[in-house]
């Protein structure tokens, strides 16, 4: 897993040795779990560092979550983008939810193995979450018009200029954003990462009005 270390330390030189070790171990744990439960596309496992861990950290290139804030990761699947972000921001509280119980079990086990005290995970649908958060993150769960109603009531609404939804998506999003009626700002991940994989990948930020 030295490839993960080299990849991440190149883009995030501020990462500590402990964080780099956690990311390497995370890659190993996904390999192990994926043999039991298909949490990541099997053909993608060789690219776990680039396609999953680094992709998740694209959010950290466009926003720095302040200490003692809270983040809800909706439709986290096997823990993406929440787990990589939780390693990056140890003083931020992350709550990861998914409607598929066996995937949440994997998230809980990986968080426990990595000693991530700032992570909780729950087998629940997004619209059933009662707690309020400073930020919501997600990775390509569904179209924005479908997704926003699930999370629009999940925000604390503190008035912070950076609060809102940070959504990892790919491709041409003009039609999807128009359909949603939302005001958004798009960040192209190719501006931060040089790998071809990121050429069409974006972070879509939906601020709170």
């Amino acid at each position: 897993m030295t490839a993960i270390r080299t990849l991440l330390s190149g883009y995030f030189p501020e990462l500590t040795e402990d964080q780099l070790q956690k990311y390497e171990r995370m890659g190993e744990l996904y390999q192990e779990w994926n043999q039991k439960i298909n949490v990541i596309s099997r053909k993608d496992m060789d690219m776990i560092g680039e396609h999953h861990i680094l992709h998740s950290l694209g959010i950290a290139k466009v926003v720095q979550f302040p200490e003692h804030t809270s983040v809800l990761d909706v439709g986290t699947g096997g823990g993406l983008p929440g787990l990589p972000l939780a390693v990056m921001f140890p003083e931020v509280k992350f709550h990861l939810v998914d409607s598929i119980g066996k995937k949440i079990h994997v998230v809980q086990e990986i968080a426990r193995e990595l000693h991530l005290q700032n992570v909780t995970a729950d087998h629940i649908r997004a619209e059933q979450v009662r707690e309020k958060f400073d930020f919501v993150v997600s990775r390509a769960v569904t179209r924005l018009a479908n997704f926003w109603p699930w999370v629009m009531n999940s925000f604390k609404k503190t008035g912070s200029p950076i609060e809102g939804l940070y959504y990892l998506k790919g491709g041409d999003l003009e039609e999807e954003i128009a359909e949603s009626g939302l005001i958004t700002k798009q960040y192209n991940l190719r501006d931060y990462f040089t790998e071809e994989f990121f050429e069409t990948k974006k972070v879509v930020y939906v601020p709170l009005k």
Side-chain angles (χ1 to χ4, degrees):
M1 288 291 159
T2 51
I4 288 179
R5 170 183 289 261
T6 307
L7 181 71
L8 298 184
S9 59
Y11 286 121
F12 297 96
E14 69 278 13
L15 288 171
T16 65
E17 177 60 25
D18 178 65
Q19 286 171 311
L20 289 169
Q21 286 179 7
K22 280 186 166 74
Y23 285 125
E24 287 183 301
R25 183 70 184 122
M26 184 184 292
E28 292 167 359
L29 289 166
Y30 275 122
Q31 298 270 15
E32 292 168 19
W33 275 105
N34 224 48
Q35 289 167 4
K36 305 173 205 170
I37 297 171
N38 196 14
V39 285
I40 288 167
S41 161
R42 295 248 156 93
K43 67 180 190 328
D44 231 14
M45 279 310 299
D46 293 343
M47 304 300 286
I48 180 78
E50 181 183 316
H51 291 187
H52 298 284
I53 297 175
L54 184 60
H55 187 207
S56 296
L57 294 177
I59 290 173
K61 283 294 188 187
V62 304
V63 61
Q64 292 288 301
F65 299 126
E67 289 187 6
H68 312 304
T69 54
S70 58
V71 179
L72 174 66
D73 176 7
V74 172
T76 188
L80 302 162
L83 290 179
L85 289 169
V87 173
M88 177 75 72
F89 300 104
E91 301 302 321
V92 175
K93 196 177 89 167
F94 287 84
H95 187 53
L96 282 54
V97 301
D98 200 276
S99 59
I100 300 174
K102 64 183 181 181
K103 291 190 174 180
I104 286 296
H105 175 67
V106 173
V107 172
Q108 290 166 335
E109 289 299 310
I110 293 177
R112 185 178 60 79
E113 184 88 23
L114 296 177
H115 307 294
L116 297 179
Q117 307 292 335
N118 59 330
V119 172
T120 53
D122 204 0
H123 173 208
I124 191 173
R125 299 179 69 84
E127 56 270 43
Q128 296 169 318
V129 176
R130 293 285 166 260
E131 205 180 330
K132 305 289 186 194
F133 299 84
D134 297 288
F135 305 96
V136 175
V137 298
S138 191
R139 187 166 84 143
V141 171
T142 182
R143 291 175 76 85
L144 266 172
N146 301 333
F147 187 83
W148 183 250
W150 298 349
V151 301
M152 58 191 286
N153 296 316
S154 296
F155 295 99
K156 287 182 180 174
K157 299 187 176 166
T158 60
S160 158
I162 58 171
E163 70 185 349
L165 167 66
Y166 292 85
Y167 202 31
L168 288 161
K169 296 282 282 185
D172 184 353
L173 302 175
E174 273 186 45
E175 182 205 343
E176 180 176 337
I177 287 169
E179 172 196 39
S180 74
L182 295 167
I183 294 167
T184 66
K185 181 170 183 183
Q186 294 183 50
Y187 297 89
N188 293 309
L189 288 182
R190 65 170 179 262
D191 294 342
Y192 307 97
F193 305 137
T194 58
E195 287 77 8
E196 190 180 334
F197 174 75
F198 297 105
E199 189 56 36
T200 62
K201 300 287 190 286
K202 301 177 176 73
V203 177
V204 179
Y205 169 49
V206 182
L208 298 187
K209 295 189 181 70

